């Protein structure tokens, strides 16, 4: 089974032959192979590691793995989804490695991690890692490995102290967190000694070449897809959005010098291309890309595209996607309320949203998926009613176009202006209201679980005290009930669930990630937050049409 999975891979790079004293390394994705191999971040980091002759790299997934070294020196995890921590802890146990870094000895590998979850807020997981790479792998990996080689034969403590000097490498055990009391707020986060940097800064790759698939396989969740990263970050800066704020600045590689050659490489091994990015159609040369893929010689190519900005949905875009095997397009509108979109900084009008639907239909697309959100700071029930009214307007304006409305609950994320706001406890009712009013209209309403949003918020705003809770919950299951049970068991050792999830935090509070510097300073985030609050009282038209 294992060999068949790896045998079906078509590689777009040449792995190096490891030299005699190569560093034995395991690079893991704590989920199934089909999920992990579809992560462009995982693919690219694995290819970077496997292209080095000074490493001997084995991949590990929950269902399959390559032959593993008996005595690995490095064990890395790429984490894209919060709840994968369960598989992370299970894999450490399975590999005979103590869960907590403090319990590991010299013969254990250094456990490192990276990816969006850990870069945003690593604190709930901090005790499980020896070191965490904050930011873009293009910069961090080489620096990390060169520094490790300098201290490869040194004591574990010496290794960690040296690695902590590398910009972007965070060694949690070298920072002490104190609390006002066991169930209270954080008092301070300080390095354990003067030589350790007081702040660790996320590293940002500013080059003009972004990522593309390093492997294509029929076993991926998106079968045989070759992915090209068209943009990184997003210029819109919606105030809740981690994908925008954490990855600034907005980067766009040249269409002719970078993207088209990358697509050509992919087309040598597959006919399925995926264009990735938070705001793909806002690439300044997107038309060039579209014209290139519209050529008759590519008529057998299937093209998939990530969520696009609403006012870039043109009939030409819709027509190209239709001709290339796509029936649907996804746009993020967040709400039908103009007032709420101003609070969020979503620069869109309802007219533009309706026009996008008309253009999608005119270009031959069969369906339109819209993403929305409830519980955004400043939201009133009347804003939710406006969303129903807007969806009715779209249905009336573009009859025959299948409409899906996917809706999540606002979850506060670190390094965004909305990190100080809690989850709105009315959100579940508001999801039910949308369900009740949209379903009879023939609109496919797909709410994201409110309970999952609560767990997500807990992890996204958590501090180190949560590590004990995470260890407990994996034995109870991944329902909200399991988390509540674990909180009960740990009562007196950490704050209540509500403190992390629902409380609006004061702006002078020490945040769990205060010692970790994202792209924007806290003062800038506060200005953006205040700009949102200034919109809270703006009047609006009410009615569900």
């Amino acid at each position: 089974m294992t060999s068949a999975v790896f045998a079906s891979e078509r590689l777009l790079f040449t792995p190096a032959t490891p030299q005699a004293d190569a560093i034995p390394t395991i690079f893991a994705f704590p989920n199934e192979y089909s999920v992990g191999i579809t992560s462009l971040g995982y693919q690219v980091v694995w290819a970077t590691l496997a292209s080095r002759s000074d490493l001997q790299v084995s991949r590990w997934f929950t269902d399959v793995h390559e032959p593993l070294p008996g005595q690995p020196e490095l064990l890395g995890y790429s984490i894209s989804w919060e709840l994968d921590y369960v598989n992370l802890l299970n894999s450490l146990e399975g590999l005979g490695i103590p869960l907590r870094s403090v319990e590991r000895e010299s013969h254990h590998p250094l456990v490192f991690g990276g990816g969006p979850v850990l870069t945003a807020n690593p604190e709930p997981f901090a005790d499980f890692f020896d070191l965490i790479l904050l930011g873009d792998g293009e910069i961090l990996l080489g620096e990390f490995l060169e520094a490790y080689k300098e201290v490869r034969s040194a004591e574990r403590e010496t290794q960690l102290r040296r690695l902590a000097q590398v910009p972007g490498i965070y060694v949690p055990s070298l920072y002490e967190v104190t609390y006002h009391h066991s169930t209270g707020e954080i008092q301070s986060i300080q390095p354990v000694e003067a030589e350790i940097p007081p702040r660790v800064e996320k590293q940002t790759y500013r080059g003009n070449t972004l990522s593309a698939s390093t492997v294509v396989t029929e076993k991926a969740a998106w079968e045989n897809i070759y992915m090209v990263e068209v943009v990184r970050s997003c210029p819109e800066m919606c105030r809740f959005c981690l994908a925008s704020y954490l990855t600034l600045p907005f980067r766009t590689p040249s269409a002719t010098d970078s993207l088209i050659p990358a697509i050509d490489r992919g087309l040598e091994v597959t006919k399925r291309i995926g264009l990735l990015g938070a705001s793909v159609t806002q690439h300044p040369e997107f038309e060039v890309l579209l014209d290139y893929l519209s050529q008759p010689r590519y008529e057998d190519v299937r093209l998939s595209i990530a969520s696009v900005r609403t006012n870039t949905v043109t009939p030409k875009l819709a027509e190209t996607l239709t001709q290339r095997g796509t029936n649907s397009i996804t746009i993020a509108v967040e709400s039908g309320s103009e007032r709420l979109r101003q609070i969020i900084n979503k620069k869109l009008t309802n007219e533009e949203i309706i026009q996008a639907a008309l253009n999608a239909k005119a270009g031959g697309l069969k369906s339109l998926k819209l993403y929305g959100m409830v519980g955004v700071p400043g939201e009133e029930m009347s804003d939710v009613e406006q969303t129903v009214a807007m969806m009715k307007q779209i249905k009336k304006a573009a009859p025959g176009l299948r409409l899906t409305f996917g809706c999540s609950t606002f979850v506060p994320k670190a390094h965004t202006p909305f990190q100080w706001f809690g989850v709105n406890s009315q959100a579940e009712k508001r999801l039910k209201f949308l369900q009740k009013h949209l379903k009879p209209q023939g609109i496919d309403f797909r709410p994201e679980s409110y309970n999952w949003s609560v767990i997500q918020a807990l992890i996204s705003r958590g501090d180190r005290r949560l590590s004990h809770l995470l260890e407990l919950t994996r034995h109870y299951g991944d329902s909200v009930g399991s988390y509540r049970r674990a909180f009960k068991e740990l009562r007196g050792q950490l704050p209540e669930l509500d403190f992390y999830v629902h409380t609006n935090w004061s702006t002078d509070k020490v945040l769990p990630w205060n010692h970790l510097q994202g792209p924007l300073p806290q003062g800038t985030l506060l200005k953006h937050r205040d700009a949102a609050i200034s919109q809270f009282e703006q009047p609006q038209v009410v009615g569900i049409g």
Side-chain angles (χ1 to χ4, degrees):
M1 161 67 177
T2 297
S3 56
V5 166
F6 295 119
S8 70
E9 295 180 334
R10 279 154 292 159
L11 302 188
L12 289 106
F13 75 103
T14 306
T17 303
Q19 56 203 36
D21 64 342
I23 300 161
T25 303
I26 299 172
F27 186 46
F29 191 95
N31 207 310
E32 293 177 356
Y33 173 85
S34 65
V35 177
I37 209 66
T38 314
S39 160
L40 184 56
Y42 181 83
Q43 279 192 24
V44 170
V45 172
W46 165 60
T48 304
L49 298 175
S51 299
R52 295 180 62 119
S53 60
D54 54 357
L55 299 183
Q56 166 87 54
V57 185
S58 302
R59 286 175 292 164
W60 183 96
F61 304 91
T62 54
D63 51 348
V64 296
H65 59 76
E66 292 175 317
L68 302 177
Q71 197 73 46
E73 290 180 37
L74 299 174
L75 167 58
Y77 289 91
S78 175
I79 302 194
S80 302
W81 195 50
E82 288 88 347
L83 289 189
D84 278 347
Y85 77 81
V86 174
N87 298 328
L88 162 77
L89 298 181
N90 291 345
S91 76
L92 287 171
E93 278 182 348
L95 293 164
I97 298 163
L99 295 187
R100 295 178 171 271
S101 62
V102 72
E103 293 163 3
R104 294 178 196 138
E105 296 175 14
S106 55
H107 65 282
H108 292 122
L110 285 181
V111 178
F112 70 95
V117 171
L118 293 176
T119 296
N121 175 23
E123 288 305 281
F125 315 102
D127 289 346
F128 307 133
F129 286 95
D130 295 305
L131 57 125
I132 291 166
L133 276 52
L134 301 179
D136 295 337
E138 289 97 336
I139 296 179
L140 280 162
L141 284 170
E143 301 274 327
F144 161 48
L145 292 167
E146 291 310 313
Y148 174 71
K149 281 159 71 175
E150 285 176 29
V151 288
R152 186 178 177 186
S153 55
E155 290 292 308
R156 198 178 188 87
E157 274 301 303
T158 307
Q159 290 178 341
L160 292 175
R161 277 174 164 69
R162 169 66 187 94
L163 290 165
Q165 302 301 325
V166 177
I169 292 188
Y170 172 44
V171 179
S173 61
L174 298 179
Y175 295 81
E176 187 183 7
V177 185
T178 57
Y179 306 92
H180 287 289
H181 48 88
S182 61
T183 61
E185 295 188 350
I186 295 171
Q187 186 170 14
S188 73
I189 307 168
Q190 300 292 339
V192 296
E193 55 192 48
E195 287 71 45
I196 307 301
R199 291 170 84 76
V200 186
E201 196 166 330
K202 174 193 175 280
Q203 297 300 290
T204 301
Y205 166 71
R206 295 171 192 271
N208 200 31
T209 305
L210 296 183
S211 303
S213 286
T214 58
V215 56
V216 170
T217 172
E218 65 200 27
K219 309 285 187 190
W222 298 335
E223 197 177 316
N224 288 322
I225 196 163
Y226 174 84
M227 298 172 282
V228 180
E229 188 184 17
V230 176
V231 299
R232 191 172 291 184
S233 195
C234 174
E236 293 308 303
M237 295 177 71
C238 294
R239 291 178 176 128
F240 60 82
C241 183
L242 188 68
S244 180
Y245 273 86
L246 189 64
T247 58
L248 288 168
F250 184 54
R251 280 147 289 167
T252 58
S254 158
T256 48
D257 298 343
S258 179
L259 296 176
I260 288 171
I263 288 167
D264 283 344
R265 282 196 300 278
L267 289 172
E268 288 174 16
V269 295
T270 184
K271 295 295 182 190
R272 187 171 182 194
I273 300 289
L275 302 182
L276 268 57
S279 194
V280 169
T281 49
Q282 280 178 280
H283 190 291
E285 298 175 285
F286 188 73
E287 285 287 310
V288 175
L289 213 53
L290 209 54
D291 289 340
Y292 184 79
L293 289 163
S294 301
Q295 294 175 90
R297 64 186 169 129
Y298 295 132
E299 64 187 6
D300 58 344
V301 170
R302 276 187 69 198
L303 182 64
S304 307
I305 192 165
S307 175
V308 301
R309 179 157 163 76
T310 305
N311 59 6
T312 61
V313 180
T314 59
K316 180 181 173 181
L317 172 64
E319 198 177 321
T320 304
L321 290 173
T322 302
Q323 289 167 353
R324 297 292 173 265
T326 292
N327 294 317
S328 177
I329 198 166
T330 302
I331 58 175
V333 297
E334 313 317 342
S335 171
S337 159
E338 305 250 353
R339 181 188 77 93
L340 206 65
R341 287 200 298 268
Q342 281 187 314
I343 288 171
I344 294 166
N345 195 36
K346 190 88 181 174
K347 305 169 198 79
L348 265 189
T349 64
N350 281 13
E351 289 72 29
E352 287 172 312
I353 296 167
I354 290 165
Q355 191 60 52
L358 292 171
N359 291 349
K361 187 182 174 187
L365 290 172
K366 300 282 187 291
S367 62
L368 177 67
K369 182 171 186 181
L370 301 96
Y371 273 128
M373 192 179 276
V374 293
V376 171
E379 181 185 75
E380 305 290 344
M381 193 59 209
S382 54
D383 296 301
V384 187
E385 293 168 358
Q386 294 271 18
T387 298
V388 175
M390 178 192 71
M391 292 304 295
K392 285 182 175 179
Q393 283 179 298
I394 296 169
K395 182 135 184 95
K396 192 175 172 186
L401 188 67
R402 259 202 327 274
L403 294 180
T404 300
F405 190 69
C407 194
S408 61
T409 295
F410 162 73
V411 171
K413 297 287 186 181
H415 309 288
T416 70
F418 283 177
Q419 62 186 357
W420 290 278
F421 290 102
V423 172
N424 187 331
S425 50
Q426 295 299 306
E428 191 169 22
K429 276 188 195 156
R430 292 175 186 179
L431 289 171
K432 285 178 178 160
F433 176 88
L434 288 172
Q435 173 102 10
K436 182 182 167 188
H437 287 88
L438 292 178
K439 243 186 162 153
Q441 301 293 324
I443 293 164
D444 181 10
F445 180 62
R446 295 185 189 173
E448 196 172 85
S449 151
Y450 170 77
N451 286 339
W452 155 236
S453 298
V454 167
I455 296 169
Q456 221 188 346
L458 171 68
I459 292 172
S460 73
R461 280 176 122 199
D463 53 46
R464 289 193 191 181
R465 290 172 289 189
L466 283 191
S467 67
H468 301 285
L469 184 105
L470 298 181
E471 277 191 64
L472 278 177
T473 53
R474 74 191 174 115
H475 301 299
Y476 300 159
D478 60 4
S479 70
V480 169
S482 306
Y483 286 81
R484 292 196 186 280
R485 180 178 164 191
F487 268 106
K488 206 169 181 179
E489 199 165 320
L490 295 171
R491 186 161 287 158
Q493 296 174 46
L494 76 171
E496 298 287 334
L497 177 80
D498 279 7
F499 167 84
Y500 294 109
V501 175
H502 297 295
T503 309
N504 289 339
W505 288 349
S506 67
T507 54
D508 56 3
K509 169 186 163 63
V510 178
L511 300 169
W513 48 90
N514 254 30
H515 55 311
L516 310 174
Q517 177 62 55
L520 294 178
Q522 191 149 301
T524 305
L525 297 180
L526 280 167
K527 277 184 195 157
H528 292 193
R529 169 189 170 275
D530 293 344
I533 290 172
S534 71
Q535 301 283 340
F536 280 12
E537 300 304 321
Q538 299 299 318
Q540 66 162 356
V541 183
V542 177
I544 60 172

